[in-house]
Amino acid sequence: MKFIHASKACASVGPYSHCVQAGSTYYLCGQVPFHPVTGEVIGTNMKEQAVQTLANLKAVLDEAGLAITDIAKTTVFITNLDDFDAFNEVYANFMGTHRPARVCVEVSNIAHGCLLEMDAVCYKE
């Protein structure tokens, strides 16, 4: 296994890696809308926080040498399913024509009052 730290993503707040490569499969840790330098939560609504979360995910993809089209599956945790459409709008723009498998569930709480968290599993030979 290879452990990947993304210098342009927010620092890990626990004992985990931004990404773990196991053969051709890459497991990206959950990303939240933290500013990569200050660690502060960016945005007060779902669209703003989704943009920052996906930017953080992209920083990890870049560090691992991956593209959006290498994403096979995402898991999205949101604190209010009423924000589902707002999230989907940002997510669709980020993914373009790529359509990985996805799970999206409502949860009662996310660290630091974030409205969402998202991880990804990627595949690249």
Side-chain angles (χ1 to χ4, degrees):
M1 282 188 287
K2 179 179 177 184
F3 300 93
I4 300 166
H5 172 75
S7 60
K8 293 184 180 177
C10 55
S12 299
V13 294
Y16 56 85
S17 297
H18 285 129
C19 179
V20 175
Q21 178 186 0
S24 298
T25 304
Y26 296 74
Y27 301 91
L28 281 64
C29 75
Q31 295 296 311
V32 292
F34 290 166
H35 185 279
V37 175
T38 67
E40 294 179 23
V41 175
I42 299 298
T44 57
N45 63 52
M46 178 55 74
K47 285 186 179 183
E48 293 168 343
Q49 289 197 14
V51 167
Q52 185 62 49
T53 298
L54 291 165
N56 292 342
L57 186 79
K58 180 75 167 78
V60 178
L61 289 170
D62 291 346
E63 188 74 30
L66 299 167
I68 291 169
T69 54
D70 295 320
I71 299 172
K73 180 185 179 293
T74 60
T75 305
V76 183
F77 305 94
I78 62 177
T79 57
N80 187 341
L81 281 176
D82 290 342
D83 288 332
F84 186 77
D85 290 340
F87 172 75
N88 263 345
E89 182 180 327
V90 175
Y91 183 87
N93 185 52
F94 178 80
M95 290 294 175
T97 60
H98 186 59
R99 295 291 182 259
R102 186 178 86 183
V103 172
C104 184
V105 296
E106 181 180 89
V107 296
S108 64
N109 193 16
I110 297 174
H112 304 282
C114 295
L115 302 176
L116 77 153
E117 182 169 354
M118 183 175 142
D119 72 2
V121 177
C122 301
Y123 181 82
K124 181 177 180 182
E125 291 196 46

